[in-house]
Amino acid sequence: MPHANQPSVAGTSRCVPADAPLETFWQTQRDELHDLRSTEALPEHSDIVIIGAGYAGVSTAYHLVKDFPDVDRSITILEARGVCSGATGRNGGHARPDLYGHVPKYIERAGARAGAEVAEFEVANLFALKQIIREEKIDCDFTLARSLDVWCNEEGAKQAKAIYDQMVEHNFEYMEDVIFYTGDQVEGICGVKGAKACASFTAGTMWPYKFILHLTRLIHAAGVNVQANTPVTSVEPDSTGGYFVTTPRGKIHAGKVVFANNAYVSGVLPQYQKSIVPCKGICTRITVPEETTPPLLNNSYIHRTEDNADGSIIVGGAAAVFRNHEEQWYDNVDDGVLIDSAKDYYHGYMQRTYRGWEDTGAKVDKIWSGVMGYSYDLHPHIGCVPEAQDQYIIAGFNGHGMPVIWLSSKELAKMITMNIPFEKTSMPRLFQTTQARLDRALNGTVEDGDILGGGSPSATKP
């Protein structure tokens, strides 16, 4: 459902945020800066305009002002809804590196070193998050824990063990953190009924809304102009240099433009229409009666199960249930409506999934949907927009943005400030947006891409 007064763009009119998203648990108590407008009117000009005030946009602004404090320039963030109202403020806050799941695919595409780059970058991102949360004293319930991949069928367990063995043979240093379990003791180790195998490694969890709003407070104080509830309808080049960024509230002239609007990027960059597709997911908060003491979950899980600070559980995924109902989630931006085929999936979930939870009275307290940006090849698109000057993109995170965005935005800030090429950054080479990647998606079929053909918006293992 497009915003009022928002004109359609040919082929992309559907790719705008819905007006009335479902309320998430994370945002039950809105931060006072949720609808921030730093100035009553839009500035006439800004040296850098960032589209999107989620994880990617706010983090990029943070690094621009904090990493380059001596650079004198104006920065404006335009957000279609409230600050952190998109996928970042609707997911489970799971900063969980992918150490081996998709790495064989990356190795097949670009070699062992390229595959290892992704995993190593995600590990570094986790500890960089820990560091910045400590330095800035951000209260966002951040914890480091062991995360578990769990397989509950024999064939899936065998395949997973084969992938794990393959990664070990490559002698990747980060694999020293991974422990793989098989045999009769697996169910007792992970607590999941019927488990045949599980893998354990270090991951982090946080309250993403609190994290981003704290950063927003910092950049606002540093002079970044934040304009919430200001959807961008078009970005057009100015004949004398720069760009006119149009919104229902007027135009702003930009020297450089950063597209950090993830699932909605094709609404203003139509060349990305097949490269980054909006895909809905589902998330749930499960609570137990106050008089009940359920078994403690010491780990986070691949199906996005986390112990919250108040004792509740945040669970997301369920792709196995809704995957075949493409119209309910694929190329769908309406996060004001639940995924119908999965809306009842989490009733009784803890009781039927985890040992010792049968009599806890655990029940669904709140359920909501969110829209993620899935790329055709399951790699983010980061860097200079092909065949455009002074345009940058940081989008298409495939529901896996928590483990990569912080350091990616830091490196993108270097590109913007120092005018260095992507190759001079520390980002994995597979993250670079290129014309070849755009052409591959444009000329391929939906089934040939990884969203439907080789991946799905969940890593749930049935």
Side-chain angles (χ1 to χ4, degrees):
M1 184 165 54
H3 283 271
N5 303 319
Q6 183 158 1
S8 63
V9 179
T12 60
S13 59
R14 68 189 180 283
C15 205
V16 294
D19 280 323
L22 294 168
E23 183 183 71
T24 78
F25 163 69
W26 306 115
Q27 298 179 31
T28 303
Q29 294 184 336
R30 292 285 180 90
D31 189 279
E32 62 182 2
L33 297 187
H34 183 84
D35 295 308
L36 173 64
R37 285 182 176 174
S38 301
T39 56
E40 184 176 348
L42 297 180
E44 293 184 3
H45 171 83
S46 186
D47 296 322
I48 301 173
V49 170
I50 299 172
I51 303 173
Y55 192 179
V58 171
S59 296
T60 299
Y62 175 90
H63 289 299
L64 286 170
V65 298
K66 291 292 185 175
D67 296 353
F68 302 96
D70 297 328
V71 178
D72 183 19
R73 60 195 164 185
S74 55
I75 301 171
T76 300
I77 301 181
L78 304 177
E79 166 57 47
R81 301 190 298 203
V83 175
C84 198
S85 61
T88 306
R90 310 183 73 76
N91 69 21
H94 207 180
R96 178 186 184 279
D98 180 10
L99 303 186
Y100 59 88
H102 287 105
V103 175
K105 182 182 294 185
Y106 306 155
I107 292 174
E108 181 180 347
R109 288 174 176 171
R113 187 64 246 150
E117 283 176 0
V118 175
E120 291 167 359
F121 188 77
E122 294 186 8
V123 172
N125 187 89
L126 173 61
F127 290 98
L129 276 175
K130 178 184 177 183
Q131 179 178 352
I132 197 64
I133 289 169
R134 182 181 67 250
E135 289 178 356
E136 296 287 11
K137 298 180 174 59
I138 303 176
D139 179 11
C140 62
D141 299 341
F142 179 81
T143 60
L144 281 181
R146 297 298 288 182
S147 184
L148 293 177
D149 281 358
V150 182
W151 292 267
C152 293
N153 63 74
E154 292 288 356
E155 184 59 31
K158 290 179 181 178
Q159 293 176 359
K161 183 59 163 61
I163 291 174
Y164 167 80
D165 290 340
Q166 180 183 347
M167 294 300 97
V168 171
E169 289 177 3
H170 281 292
N171 292 316
F172 295 148
E173 183 177 351
Y174 68 80
M175 286 297 293
E176 293 293 327
D177 187 49
V178 183
I179 305 173
F180 202 99
Y181 301 94
T182 58
D184 297 336
Q185 303 301 313
V186 171
E187 188 173 318
I189 292 170
C190 67
V192 176
K193 297 177 182 179
K196 306 299 181 185
C198 69
S200 169
F201 51 90
T202 303
T205 63
M206 71 162 75
W207 193 306
Y209 183 68
K210 290 182 179 180
F211 176 69
I212 298 303
L213 267 295
H214 190 110
L215 294 181
T216 300
R217 192 163 278 103
L218 294 175
I219 63 173
H220 176 55
V224 174
N225 191 318
V226 180
Q227 295 289 330
N229 302 303
T230 308
V232 172
T233 58
S234 68
V235 177
E236 301 292 339
D238 174 16
S239 59
T240 61
Y243 296 89
F244 283 114
V245 181
T246 302
T247 82
R249 298 176 55 218
K251 292 184 178 181
I252 176 173
H253 185 267
K256 297 181 179 181
V257 181
V258 180
F259 297 87
N261 48 340
N262 201 26
Y264 309 101
V265 71
S266 67
V268 282
L269 277 182
Q271 62 266 47
Y272 281 85
Q273 185 176 0
K274 291 189 67 176
S275 291
I276 300 177
V277 180
C279 295
K280 281 174 62 172
I282 199 165
C283 204
T284 306
R285 180 186 185 231
I286 296 175
T287 60
V288 298
E290 291 183 4
E291 65 273 13
T292 302
T293 304
L296 180 65
L297 292 177
N298 292 315
N299 309 290
S300 67
Y301 290 79
I302 184 62
H303 38 85
R304 311 297 191 249
T305 303
E306 303 165 18
D307 238 337
N308 205 29
D310 62 0
S312 62
I313 308 296
I314 304 297
V315 191
V321 177
F322 64 74
R323 179 177 171 82
N324 292 331
H325 302 276
E326 292 177 20
E327 73 286 352
Q328 296 179 18
W329 64 272
Y330 180 79
D331 206 4
N332 187 324
V333 297
D334 193 354
D335 54 7
V337 177
L338 291 174
I339 300 175
D340 189 65
S341 55
K343 64 183 180 181
D344 297 323
Y345 176 78
Y346 288 110
H347 291 297
Y349 174 80
M350 299 303 293
Q351 289 89 334
R352 68 175 182 267
T353 305
Y354 293 95
R355 294 174 58 177
W357 283 75
E358 293 82 0
D359 300 320
T360 60
K363 63 179 181 180
V364 172
D365 173 73
K366 185 180 285 290
I367 184 170
W368 62 93
S369 60
V371 181
M372 299 163 284
Y374 271 76
S375 68
Y376 187 79
D377 55 14
L378 292 189
H379 299 305
H381 280 267
I382 307 176
C384 298
V385 174
E387 301 181 3
Q389 186 166 347
D390 294 329
Q391 290 189 359
Y392 303 84
I393 186 171
I394 176 167
F397 292 102
N398 309 291
H400 194 63
M402 295 302 298
V404 300
I405 289 177
W406 181 251
L407 286 184
S408 294
S409 63
K410 183 179 181 69
E411 294 302 299
L412 184 66
K414 291 180 183 178
M415 292 183 65
I416 296 169
T417 304
M418 303 168 64
N419 291 316
I420 62 174
F422 184 95
E423 292 79 7
K424 295 293 185 180
T425 73
S426 65
M427 285 184 282
R429 69 193 76 173
L430 292 173
F431 288 8
Q432 183 178 14
T433 190
T434 63
Q435 189 61 47
R437 289 181 65 191
L438 298 183
D439 291 342
R440 192 177 305 117
L442 181 65
N443 298 323
T445 65
V446 172
E447 291 74 21
D448 288 338
D450 284 326
I451 304 176
L452 293 178
S456 71
S458 169
T460 302
K461 307 232 180 358

